[in-house]
Amino acid sequence: MTQSRVLQHHIGQLQEIRGILHSLKNMAFMEVHRLNQYQRTHNLVVQQIAEVAADFLHFFPGPTEIAPDYPSIIIVVGSERGFCGNFNDSLIENLAPLFPATLIAVGTRLCHRLRNNRIACTELAGANSSEEISQVLNALIAAISDLQQQHDFFRLSVLSHRDEHGGTMLRPLLPPFAAIESQVEHKSEPLLNLSPAQFLFELADQFVFSSLQDILLTSLSAENNQRLQHLDNAVRHLDQETAKLRRMSQIYRQEEITEEIEVILLNAENQLAS
């Protein structure tokens, strides 16, 4: 096979790979668009719960502190799939100061990396799309409930990506409402149909559930944003490499044509000489 044909075959392979990466890029783009719509709704829900809690705790101060010797549970939300750069690496780097804590890892890729680093954790599959968030949330609640049977009181925090720029954050969920500050002036005591203790318990349950859902949506959006950037760079690199190979193929083809012409002329001269 001539050099130009070898290069043309290689160009064909690169174009197939580019088509696959471009499809994955489009899927990531559509997923980011859907997640942004869901996020706006869930952010409002979490903010509303926080306002209700701030209003309640202003008139009915509750126990928001847990003794420092109680166990700590950290949920780490990573990626289920690849093509998202250092998404999981940045989470693992921020885990070191949090030990010794019980870990719940969400995301197959993250779990694989933790295993390679010999970090023990409860492993859960992550979400491939926004439609799978509810399944992951249910599995996460079940894992927390299992640990709750072992510890009556514990601290619960979530380490995850907060935006598409790759920044991570540790968000405390239990004790609930510890970091909530209201901007609303509280004038009148809320009217309750439940006892303050029961109301606080129910509100805390809603807060943890809604916060986890909001965190999973935010993390999946950040993951797809990083995947979008990663795949865009890969497609751009393939386009540059393909253009380079096409130029080389044209040069080789011109040389091959020149050689063919020289052979034809040489054969013609030989025939005339004979």
Side-chain angles (χ1 to χ4, degrees), residues 184-254:
V184 179
E185 182 180 355
H186 308 285
K187 296 181 178 179
S188 58
E189 181 177 304
L191 299 175
L192 301 177
N193 293 320
L194 301 173
S195 67
Q198 182 65 22
F199 179 82
L200 181 60
F201 177 81
E202 297 286 346
L203 190 63
D205 188 55
Q206 286 293 322
F207 170 74
V208 171
F209 184 86
S210 297
S211 296
L212 284 174
Q213 193 169 21
D214 182 55
I215 290 169
L216 290 173
L217 286 167
T218 302
S219 177
L220 186 57
S221 178
E223 176 189 336
N224 277 282
N225 265 297
Q226 286 203 23
R227 181 172 292 114
L228 188 61
Q229 296 172 14
H230 188 71
L231 290 172
D232 186 58
N233 291 334
V235 168
R236 190 179 299 111
H237 175 74
L238 283 175
D239 287 342
Q240 293 171 352
E241 187 67 19
T242 301
K244 178 182 175 182
L245 291 176
R246 281 203 174 104
R247 289 193 297 269
M248 291 176 61
S249 177
Q250 289 173 354
I251 293 172
Y252 280 125
R253 184 57 186 151
Q254 288 172 358

Side-chain angles (χ1 to χ4, degrees), residues 262-274:
E262 288 176 351
V263 170
I264 292 171
L265 292 175
L266 182 60
N267 290 335
E269 290 177 359
N270 290 337
Q271 290 176 359
L272 290 174
S274 60

Side-chain angles (χ1 to χ4, degrees), residues 17-74:
I17 295 172
R18 186 198 185 281
I20 295 171
L21 295 181
H22 187 68
S23 297
L24 293 173
K25 175 185 167 183
N26 288 339
M27 289 172 61
F29 177 79
M30 290 187 292
E31 192 62 37
V32 167
H33 181 69
R34 281 198 299 266
L35 286 165
N36 286 340
Q37 293 178 321
Y38 293 144
Q39 275 183 277
R40 285 191 288 269
T41 301
H42 284 283
N43 281 337
L44 291 175
V45 171
V46 174
Q47 290 173 13
Q48 187 63 41
I49 292 175
E51 285 297 331
V52 171
D55 188 31
F56 171 82
L57 293 172
H58 179 76
F59 295 99
F60 302 97
T64 58
E65 290 295 326
I66 295 180
D69 58 340
Y70 284 147
S72 178
I73 297 174
I74 305 293

Side-chain angles (χ1 to χ4, degrees), residues 70-112:
Y70 284 147
S72 178
I73 297 174
I74 305 293
I75 299 170
V76 191
V77 184
S79 72
E80 178 66 13
R81 297 184 289 126
F83 293 110
C84 52
N86 65 340
F87 190 84
N88 294 315
D89 293 332
S90 56
L91 292 169
I92 294 174
E93 288 173 3
N94 286 278
L95 274 178
L98 304 178
F99 289 119
T102 301
L103 296 183
I104 301 176
V106 179
T108 299
R109 292 280 178 159
L110 173 64
C111 294
H112 180 69

Side-chain angles (χ1 to χ4, degrees), residues 5-24:
R5 288 188 178 181
V6 170
L7 290 177
Q8 285 297 327
H9 179 69
H10 189 38
I11 289 171
Q13 292 177 322
L14 291 183
Q15 287 177 327
E16 288 181 7
I17 295 172
R18 186 198 185 281
I20 295 171
L21 295 181
H22 187 68
S23 297
L24 293 173

Side-chain angles (χ1 to χ4, degrees), residues 167-179:
T168 62
M169 68 177 297
L170 183 67
R171 183 170 169 178
L173 295 185
L174 290 176
F177 317 125

Side-chain angles (χ1 to χ4, degrees), residues 101-170:
T102 301
L103 296 183
I104 301 176
V106 179
T108 299
R109 292 280 178 159
L110 173 64
C111 294
H112 180 69
R113 295 301 303 276
L114 291 173
R115 257 183 271 125
N116 288 344
N117 286 275
R118 298 183 179 180
I119 299 175
C121 63
T122 299
E123 299 182 1
L124 299 177
N128 286 297
S129 63
S130 53
E131 289 80 6
E132 297 180 3
I133 289 288
S134 59
Q135 300 173 18
V136 178
L137 184 58
N138 291 334
L140 196 50
I141 294 297
I144 295 172
S145 299
D146 290 341
L147 292 173
Q148 192 172 19
Q149 294 177 3
Q150 305 173 25
H151 311 288
D152 292 333
F153 298 99
F154 56 85
R155 297 177 182 273
L156 177 66
S157 303
V158 183
L159 177 64
S160 65
H161 284 265
R162 58 188 170 191
D163 52 38
E164 66 275 13
H165 302 296
T168 62
M169 68 177 297
L170 183 67

